[in-house]
Amino acid sequence: MDTISDDLLAVLNFSPDAMFVVDPSGNMVDVNAAAAELFGYAPRELIGKPVEVLVPDRLQPFHQHGHDAFLTRPSRQQWPSGTRVRALTKAGREIPVEVTLGPLGKGDNVNVIASVRDVSARVAREDQLRAIIEETERRLRTSELDFHRTNDHFKLFLKHAPAAIALLDRQMRYLIVSDRWMRDFGRGNRDCHGLNHYDLFPDVPELWREEHRRCLVGETVVSDEDCFARRDGQSEWVRRELHPWRGSDGRVGGMLMFVELITARKNAELALMKSNLELEQRVAERTAELERLKNDATRANTQKSWFVAAASHDLRQPLQASLAYLSVLSRRTERDDLEELCAKARQPLKAMSDILDVLLDIADLESGNVQPQMCDFQLGDLLLRVIANAQNLAEDKGLRLSCVPTDLTVHSDPRLLERVLSNFVTNAIRYTDKGLIGVYCETVGDKVCISVTDTGIGIPPEALSVIFEDHIQLGNPERDRRKGLGLGLSIAKRIADALGHRISVQSELGSGSSFSIELPQSGAAAERIEAEEIAAPAPSSERPVVLLIDDDPDVAEAMQMLLQSYQFETYMAHSRDAALAMLESGLNPGLVLCDYRMPGANGIDVIRQVRQALGAEVPAVIMTGDMGLTECPDNLPKCAVLHKPMDVEDLFSIIGKLAA
């Protein structure tokens, strides 16, 4: 494995010790936060580098030999056993460390997981202890008096030593005890002079008593780690050194005892060992999980598309009500400031609708629901429409937006191609503060290349490879939503892939960028793709009675108020049964506006039943937040689909066409 997963790295970060994952070639794959802090590097400075950067030059051969030996027989081990290891920080400072190695993985793909602990404080204490012991032995050897007559200066020297030290006679009675000894072993300010060691510590195991006897006959005893159980059931870990001291006659007069409590450190090591075992288990579990996720990817993608569509429908309902209420408010007010406020209020609602459209576009493209409708058409009208739609946005920033006229014909889906070019133009406006944005066409063999060129900030070379990925935005670290979502270019790339067209980008930082799409040229007679004209509401005398059917009370009330503000006589029903009851009471509408998702039935079925009750094909509009419904069935004439949230102009354009 090249890297470990984020959740496994999170496990490493719980460790207080520096943790490294090293591949068989000796390169660091991952490091935890403690490692970066200990050695003074940022994690990215270590990942991919050989672990030798942390080893002093003189120890490089020794380190390589140890690494090779570990790979020959990988197992958990202290490394190197019984030897102090020195490590090198980024600042060039050498520090003593304790290293524990363990295998991560199985078979031929075994990485090394290394735990590195800074033992500078322990080494300093040990060196200090050595100095104390040597000084004590020197003084005792050179003393012309017996110990009980040793000068007070020497007694103070031992008493205030920064370590847990006790000087005892041959009967294990205390002669001098350091203050640190009293604190570490909970003796407070009690005077221990003359007391027997075994009286104060009756829990001392027999093994230790035997070591005391060996020391009193002249043997130095050192134990790096020992565990014993107190009478209260608690376990303690200690490190001990016993040194005999001799009087001026050369005979052993007692012992110098050093004891260090290492329970906290030992518990941390045991916890780390447990974490290492858990880590190996999680590697195996994660591998199995990734395999399962891979198998479930298709199903998950389908479920995501369904969820996005469902969530979009539910969110479009309140948006529709809000926009309708704002339209009513705008018509009722006669104050310019309130009309301006209504216009500003529409902007975030429109932005939310755009976000929903983007999410649905991505879901549709990823699920394969978008099927291009390819045809031959004249390119000039489409380009002029793209320019017209973006002209106000460019003028607001003081930019000049232009297009070179063309009579070329191409083979593509005009609706999807327009979306790509609109994204290019909008993106160019967003990242251009002054100058020109131009749309140009040229033939390259049997292809037509359409380019959108700007004089904006440009793109750094390292960003060119990711500019078409999701949520990539340059110059917008604060994620200002007014500057977009960072999805426009990624959607353009998805659409181009669906169309089979190649898109590319060229840019120079600080000078501008040029986004291009290349598509087939067509020599066939092409149809003209023209913009639809918006129809105004029908004259007052011809306005039909409207039956509005929507189960959402807010949407229904807002739409009723909107229609009434345009002098449409409107009747509201919240269900199919309520609508049919109104028809039985004599209501004879000239137009039906019906929500698509109705309790117990969909809008298409409701319209069929309404027409059956009236005995006439009354014009109808299906209002829906479900973007999967794009048109009515062929056997349902004089019926149109309008997606929520609806623009007022779109609504009356549809009504005008149906009433014609």
Side-chain angles (χ1 to χ4, degrees), residues 324-355:
Y325 280 131
L326 283 172
S327 296
V328 173
L329 180 61
S330 178
R331 286 185 59 80
R332 289 185 178 181
T333 183
E334 296 180 356
R335 290 172 49 183
D336 293 341
D337 58 336
L338 290 181
E339 288 185 3
E340 182 181 357
L341 183 60
C342 290
K344 289 183 177 180
R346 287 192 190 94
Q347 293 176 3
L349 296 176
K350 181 61 167 63
M352 186 179 296
S353 178
D354 292 342
I355 292 172

mmCIF file of all heavy atoms in Angstrom, residues 324-355:
data_model
loop_
_atom_site.group_PDB
_atom_site.id
_atom_site.type_symbol
_atom_site.label_atom_id
_atom_site.label_comp_id
_atom_site.label_asym_id
_atom_site.label_seq_id
_atom_site.Cartn_x
_atom_site.Cartn_y
_atom_site.Cartn_z
ATOM 1 N N ALA A 324 -43.112 33.926 -5.565
ATOM 2 C CA ALA A 324 -44.469 34.381 -5.886
ATOM 3 C C ALA A 324 -44.892 35.520 -4.962
ATOM 4 O O ALA A 324 -45.459 36.528 -5.403
ATOM 5 C CB ALA A 324 -45.451 33.214 -5.794
ATOM 6 N N TYR A 325 -44.624 35.367 -3.670
ATOM 7 C CA TYR A 325 -44.968 36.431 -2.724
ATOM 8 C C TYR A 325 -44.229 37.729 -3.065
ATOM 9 O O TYR A 325 -44.792 38.823 -2.988
ATOM 10 C CB TYR A 325 -44.622 36.007 -1.298
ATOM 11 C CG TYR A 325 -45.625 35.092 -0.654
ATOM 12 C CD1 TYR A 325 -45.217 33.920 -0.011
ATOM 13 C CD2 TYR A 325 -46.992 35.393 -0.662
ATOM 14 C CE1 TYR A 325 -46.126 33.072 0.584
ATOM 15 C CE2 TYR A 325 -47.918 34.544 -0.063
ATOM 16 C CZ TYR A 325 -47.485 33.387 0.552
ATOM 17 O OH TYR A 325 -48.389 32.548 1.147
ATOM 18 N N LEU A 326 -42.958 37.609 -3.453
ATOM 19 C CA LEU A 326 -42.194 38.802 -3.809
ATOM 20 C C LEU A 326 -42.766 39.478 -5.049
ATOM 21 O O LEU A 326 -42.803 40.711 -5.143
ATOM 22 C CB LEU A 326 -40.720 38.427 -4.040
ATOM 23 C CG LEU A 326 -39.882 38.185 -2.787
ATOM 24 C CD1 LEU A 326 -38.515 37.639 -3.161
ATOM 25 C CD2 LEU A 326 -39.719 39.480 -1.996
ATOM 26 N N SER A 327 -43.207 38.682 -6.005
ATOM 27 C CA SER A 327 -43.808 39.257 -7.208
ATOM 28 C C SER A 327 -45.094 40.000 -6.864
ATOM 29 O O SER A 327 -45.360 41.092 -7.377
ATOM 30 C CB SER A 327 -44.093 38.156 -8.236
ATOM 31 O OG SER A 327 -42.896 37.547 -8.667
ATOM 32 N N VAL A 328 -45.902 39.417 -5.968
ATOM 33 C CA VAL A 328 -47.133 40.087 -5.542
ATOM 34 C C VAL A 328 -46.804 41.384 -4.824
ATOM 35 O O VAL A 328 -47.407 42.440 -5.083
ATOM 36 C CB VAL A 328 -47.953 39.154 -4.626
ATOM 37 C CG1 VAL A 328 -49.153 39.908 -4.046
ATOM 38 C CG2 VAL A 328 -48.418 37.930 -5.399
ATOM 39 N N LEU A 329 -45.826 41.331 -3.914
ATOM 40 C CA LEU A 329 -45.437 42.525 -3.164
ATOM 41 C C LEU A 329 -44.926 43.613 -4.096
ATOM 42 O O LEU A 329 -45.241 44.795 -3.937
ATOM 43 C CB LEU A 329 -44.365 42.159 -2.135
ATOM 44 C CG LEU A 329 -43.851 43.303 -1.253
ATOM 45 C CD1 LEU A 329 -44.989 43.892 -0.432
ATOM 46 C CD2 LEU A 329 -42.733 42.796 -0.344
ATOM 47 N N SER A 330 -44.138 43.217 -5.092
ATOM 48 C CA SER A 330 -43.599 44.188 -6.033
ATOM 49 C C SER A 330 -44.713 44.874 -6.819
ATOM 50 O O SER A 330 -44.642 46.074 -7.104
ATOM 51 C CB SER A 330 -42.621 43.491 -6.985
ATOM 52 O OG SER A 330 -42.118 44.389 -7.948
ATOM 53 N N ARG A 331 -45.773 44.121 -7.179
ATOM 54 C CA ARG A 331 -46.875 44.722 -7.942
ATOM 55 C C ARG A 331 -47.748 45.622 -7.076
ATOM 56 O O ARG A 331 -48.328 46.589 -7.567
ATOM 57 C CB ARG A 331 -47.743 43.616 -8.561
ATOM 58 C CG ARG A 331 -47.087 42.932 -9.753
ATOM 59 C CD ARG A 331 -48.029 41.941 -10.397
ATOM 60 N NE ARG A 331 -49.262 42.537 -10.864
ATOM 61 C CZ ARG A 331 -49.402 43.222 -12.005
ATOM 62 N NH1 ARG A 331 -48.346 43.402 -12.793
ATOM 63 N NH2 ARG A 331 -50.574 43.712 -12.362
ATOM 64 N N ARG A 332 -47.831 45.298 -5.784
ATOM 65 C CA ARG A 332 -48.722 46.080 -4.925
ATOM 66 C C ARG A 332 -48.085 47.381 -4.435
ATOM 67 O O ARG A 332 -48.790 48.310 -4.078
ATOM 68 C CB ARG A 332 -49.146 45.235 -3.714
ATOM 69 C CG ARG A 332 -50.109 44.115 -4.080
ATOM 70 C CD ARG A 332 -50.590 43.397 -2.829
ATOM 71 N NE ARG A 332 -51.559 42.345 -3.147
ATOM 72 C CZ ARG A 332 -52.148 41.575 -2.242
ATOM 73 N NH1 ARG A 332 -51.865 41.740 -0.944
ATOM 74 N NH2 ARG A 332 -53.018 40.647 -2.616
ATOM 75 N N THR A 333 -46.785 47.407 -4.363
ATOM 76 C CA THR A 333 -46.141 48.608 -3.835
ATOM 77 C C THR A 333 -45.982 49.654 -4.927
ATOM 78 O O THR A 333 -45.831 49.348 -6.108
ATOM 79 C CB THR A 333 -44.771 48.270 -3.237
ATOM 80 O OG1 THR A 333 -44.218 49.464 -2.673
ATOM 81 C CG2 THR A 333 -43.806 47.779 -4.317
ATOM 82 N N GLU A 334 -46.041 50.888 -4.534
ATOM 83 C CA GLU A 334 -45.816 51.997 -5.462
ATOM 84 C C GLU A 334 -44.563 52.768 -5.088
ATOM 85 O O GLU A 334 -44.352 53.880 -5.554
ATOM 86 C CB GLU A 334 -47.041 52.930 -5.459
ATOM 87 C CG GLU A 334 -48.313 52.264 -5.974
ATOM 88 C CD GLU A 334 -49.495 53.215 -5.954
ATOM 89 O OE1 GLU A 334 -49.322 54.362 -5.468
ATOM 90 O OE2 GLU A 334 -50.578 52.820 -6.431
ATOM 91 N N ARG A 335 -43.765 52.190 -4.228
ATOM 92 C CA ARG A 335 -42.534 52.852 -3.793
ATOM 93 C C ARG A 335 -41.332 52.220 -4.481
ATOM 94 O O ARG A 335 -41.182 50.998 -4.504
ATOM 95 C CB ARG A 335 -42.388 52.728 -2.276
ATOM 96 C CG ARG A 335 -43.400 53.552 -1.502
ATOM 97 C CD ARG A 335 -43.342 53.242 -0.019
ATOM 98 N NE ARG A 335 -41.980 53.267 0.491
ATOM 99 C CZ ARG A 335 -41.655 52.972 1.763
ATOM 100 N NH1 ARG A 335 -42.619 52.638 2.618
ATOM 101 N NH2 ARG A 335 -40.402 53.010 2.152
ATOM 102 N N ASP A 336 -40.480 53.074 -5.044
ATOM 103 C CA ASP A 336 -39.305 52.570 -5.758
ATOM 104 C C ASP A 336 -38.358 51.816 -4.834
ATOM 105 O O ASP A 336 -37.742 50.816 -5.243
ATOM 106 C CB ASP A 336 -38.560 53.734 -6.426
ATOM 107 C CG ASP A 336 -39.376 54.359 -7.549
ATOM 108 O OD1 ASP A 336 -40.308 53.690 -8.037
ATOM 109 O OD2 ASP A 336 -39.069 55.515 -7.915
ATOM 110 N N ASP A 337 -38.224 52.285 -3.569
ATOM 111 C CA ASP A 337 -37.282 51.628 -2.669
ATOM 112 C C ASP A 337 -37.734 50.213 -2.321
ATOM 113 O O ASP A 337 -36.920 49.294 -2.194
ATOM 114 C CB ASP A 337 -37.078 52.450 -1.398
ATOM 115 C CG ASP A 337 -38.394 52.690 -0.653
ATOM 116 O OD1 ASP A 337 -39.458 52.645 -1.295
ATOM 117 O OD2 ASP A 337 -38.333 52.921 0.575
ATOM 118 N N LEU A 338 -39.077 50.009 -2.205
ATOM 119 C CA LEU A 338 -39.578 48.670 -1.914
ATOM 120 C C LEU A 338 -39.463 47.753 -3.126
ATOM 121 O O LEU A 338 -39.193 46.555 -2.995
ATOM 122 C CB LEU A 338 -41.028 48.743 -1.438
ATOM 123 C CG LEU A 338 -41.254 49.364 -0.056
ATOM 124 C CD1 LEU A 338 -42.726 49.340 0.302
ATOM 125 C CD2 LEU A 338 -40.440 48.625 1.002
ATOM 126 N N GLU A 339 -39.662 48.316 -4.312
ATOM 127 C CA GLU A 339 -39.477 47.505 -5.517
ATOM 128 C C GLU A 339 -38.015 47.066 -5.642
ATOM 129 O O GLU A 339 -37.721 45.937 -6.034
ATOM 130 C CB GLU A 339 -39.900 48.302 -6.751
ATOM 131 C CG GLU A 339 -41.406 48.495 -6.859
ATOM 132 C CD GLU A 339 -41.792 49.174 -8.164
ATOM 133 O OE1 GLU A 339 -40.877 49.424 -8.975
ATOM 134 O OE2 GLU A 339 -42.983 49.438 -8.368
ATOM 135 N N GLU A 340 -37.108 47.991 -5.292
ATOM 136 C CA GLU A 340 -35.686 47.653 -5.331
ATOM 137 C C GLU A 340 -35.367 46.566 -4.299
ATOM 138 O O GLU A 340 -34.588 45.644 -4.558
ATOM 139 C CB GLU A 340 -34.841 48.888 -5.052
ATOM 140 C CG GLU A 340 -33.339 48.626 -5.114
ATOM 141 C CD GLU A 340 -32.522 49.880 -4.816
ATOM 142 O OE1 GLU A 340 -33.135 50.955 -4.612
ATOM 143 O OE2 GLU A 340 -31.290 49.774 -4.781
ATOM 144 N N LEU A 341 -35.996 46.661 -3.110
ATOM 145 C CA LEU A 341 -35.786 45.657 -2.082
ATOM 146 C C LEU A 341 -36.302 44.291 -2.539
ATOM 147 O O LEU A 341 -35.673 43.256 -2.295
ATOM 148 C CB LEU A 341 -36.492 46.087 -0.791
ATOM 149 C CG LEU A 341 -36.307 45.162 0.423
ATOM 150 C CD1 LEU A 341 -34.837 45.048 0.794
ATOM 151 C CD2 LEU A 341 -37.116 45.684 1.602
ATOM 152 N N CYS A 342 -37.453 44.276 -3.211
ATOM 153 C CA CYS A 342 -37.976 43.011 -3.740
ATOM 154 C C CYS A 342 -37.013 42.404 -4.754
ATOM 155 O O CYS A 342 -36.793 41.182 -4.782
ATOM 156 C CB CYS A 342 -39.351 43.238 -4.381
ATOM 157 S SG CYS A 342 -40.668 43.604 -3.213
ATOM 158 N N ALA A 343 -36.454 43.267 -5.593
ATOM 159 C CA ALA A 343 -35.508 42.771 -6.600
ATOM 160 C C ALA A 343 -34.278 42.167 -5.932
ATOM 161 O O ALA A 343 -33.766 41.121 -6.358
ATOM 162 C CB ALA A 343 -35.107 43.910 -7.535
ATOM 163 N N LYS A 344 -33.797 42.820 -4.857
ATOM 164 C CA LYS A 344 -32.631 42.281 -4.154
ATOM 165 C C LYS A 344 -32.976 40.977 -3.448
ATOM 166 O O LYS A 344 -32.143 40.071 -3.368
ATOM 167 C CB LYS A 344 -32.112 43.305 -3.144
ATOM 168 C CG LYS A 344 -31.449 44.516 -3.789
ATOM 169 C CD LYS A 344 -30.897 45.465 -2.735
ATOM 170 C CE LYS A 344 -30.168 46.630 -3.392
ATOM 171 N NZ LYS A 344 -29.627 47.579 -2.389
ATOM 172 N N ALA A 345 -34.190 40.872 -2.927
ATOM 173 C CA ALA A 345 -34.599 39.651 -2.238
ATOM 174 C C ALA A 345 -34.684 38.473 -3.198
ATOM 175 O O ALA A 345 -34.496 37.317 -2.806
ATOM 176 C CB ALA A 345 -35.939 39.858 -1.543
ATOM 177 N N ARG A 346 -34.995 38.780 -4.476
ATOM 178 C CA ARG A 346 -35.076 37.692 -5.455
ATOM 179 C C ARG A 346 -33.704 37.096 -5.744
ATOM 180 O O ARG A 346 -33.589 35.927 -6.117
ATOM 181 C CB ARG A 346 -35.686 38.202 -6.766
ATOM 182 C CG ARG A 346 -37.172 38.488 -6.719
ATOM 183 C CD ARG A 346 -37.729 38.690 -8.117
ATOM 184 N NE ARG A 346 -39.086 39.191 -8.100
ATOM 185 C CZ ARG A 346 -39.412 40.473 -8.173
ATOM 186 N NH1 ARG A 346 -38.454 41.383 -8.287
ATOM 187 N NH2 ARG A 346 -40.675 40.854 -8.140
ATOM 188 N N GLN A 347 -32.638 37.904 -5.598
ATOM 189 C CA GLN A 347 -31.307 37.453 -5.999
ATOM 190 C C GLN A 347 -30.832 36.231 -5.215
ATOM 191 O O GLN A 347 -30.394 35.239 -5.819
ATOM 192 C CB GLN A 347 -30.305 38.607 -5.876
ATOM 193 C CG GLN A 347 -30.558 39.731 -6.871
ATOM 194 C CD GLN A 347 -29.616 40.894 -6.680
ATOM 195 O OE1 GLN A 347 -28.723 40.858 -5.835
ATOM 196 N NE2 GLN A 347 -29.811 41.953 -7.462
ATOM 197 N N PRO A 348 -30.870 36.226 -3.850
ATOM 198 C CA PRO A 348 -30.436 34.998 -3.162
ATOM 199 C C PRO A 348 -31.343 33.808 -3.432
ATOM 200 O O PRO A 348 -30.881 32.661 -3.451
ATOM 201 C CB PRO A 348 -30.464 35.396 -1.674
ATOM 202 C CG PRO A 348 -31.363 36.586 -1.599
ATOM 203 C CD PRO A 348 -31.199 37.308 -2.897
ATOM 204 N N LEU A 349 -32.650 34.074 -3.658
ATOM 205 C CA LEU A 349 -33.546 32.968 -3.986
ATOM 206 C C LEU A 349 -33.200 32.393 -5.355
ATOM 207 O O LEU A 349 -33.217 31.176 -5.557
ATOM 208 C CB LEU A 349 -35.003 33.446 -3.962
ATOM 209 C CG LEU A 349 -35.528 33.906 -2.597
ATOM 210 C CD1 LEU A 349 -36.950 34.433 -2.736
ATOM 211 C CD2 LEU A 349 -35.478 32.777 -1.586
ATOM 212 N N LYS A 350 -32.886 33.285 -6.286
ATOM 213 C CA LYS A 350 -32.468 32.817 -7.613
ATOM 214 C C LYS A 350 -31.142 32.055 -7.512
ATOM 215 O O LYS A 350 -30.955 31.030 -8.191
ATOM 216 C CB LYS A 350 -32.320 34.008 -8.563
ATOM 217 C CG LYS A 350 -31.919 33.637 -9.982
ATOM 218 C CD LYS A 350 -32.972 32.746 -10.632
ATOM 219 C CE LYS A 350 -32.741 32.638 -12.144
ATOM 220 N NZ LYS A 350 -31.450 32.011 -12.459
ATOM 221 N N ALA A 351 -30.237 32.546 -6.648
ATOM 222 C CA ALA A 351 -28.965 31.845 -6.468
ATOM 223 C C ALA A 351 -29.186 30.445 -5.907
ATOM 224 O O ALA A 351 -28.538 29.476 -6.325
ATOM 225 C CB ALA A 351 -28.049 32.642 -5.533
ATOM 226 N N MET A 352 -30.123 30.312 -4.973
ATOM 227 C CA MET A 352 -30.434 28.992 -4.426
ATOM 228 C C MET A 352 -31.004 28.079 -5.504
ATOM 229 O O MET A 352 -30.671 26.888 -5.577
ATOM 230 C CB MET A 352 -31.412 29.121 -3.261
ATOM 231 C CG MET A 352 -31.674 27.810 -2.529
ATOM 232 S SD MET A 352 -32.814 27.997 -1.142
ATOM 233 C CE MET A 352 -31.860 29.088 -0.088
ATOM 234 N N SER A 353 -31.854 28.629 -6.352
ATOM 235 C CA SER A 353 -32.394 27.834 -7.452
ATOM 236 C C SER A 353 -31.287 27.390 -8.393
ATOM 237 O O SER A 353 -31.276 26.247 -8.867
ATOM 238 C CB SER A 353 -33.436 28.658 -8.219
ATOM 239 O OG SER A 353 -33.946 27.926 -9.320
ATOM 240 N N ASP A 354 -30.313 28.283 -8.641
ATOM 241 C CA ASP A 354 -29.180 27.921 -9.499
ATOM 242 C C ASP A 354 -28.362 26.795 -8.878
ATOM 243 O O ASP A 354 -27.888 25.890 -9.576
ATOM 244 C CB ASP A 354 -28.288 29.139 -9.740
ATOM 245 C CG ASP A 354 -28.977 30.196 -10.603
ATOM 246 O OD1 ASP A 354 -29.976 29.847 -11.278
ATOM 247 O OD2 ASP A 354 -28.534 31.350 -10.587
ATOM 248 N N ILE A 355 -28.187 26.859 -7.539
ATOM 249 C CA ILE A 355 -27.436 25.803 -6.862
ATOM 250 C C ILE A 355 -28.129 24.453 -7.036
ATOM 251 O O ILE A 355 -27.499 23.434 -7.311
ATOM 252 C CB ILE A 355 -27.263 26.138 -5.366
ATOM 253 C CG1 ILE A 355 -26.340 27.359 -5.205
ATOM 254 C CG2 ILE A 355 -26.708 24.950 -4.597
ATOM 255 C CD1 ILE A 355 -26.277 27.875 -3.789
#
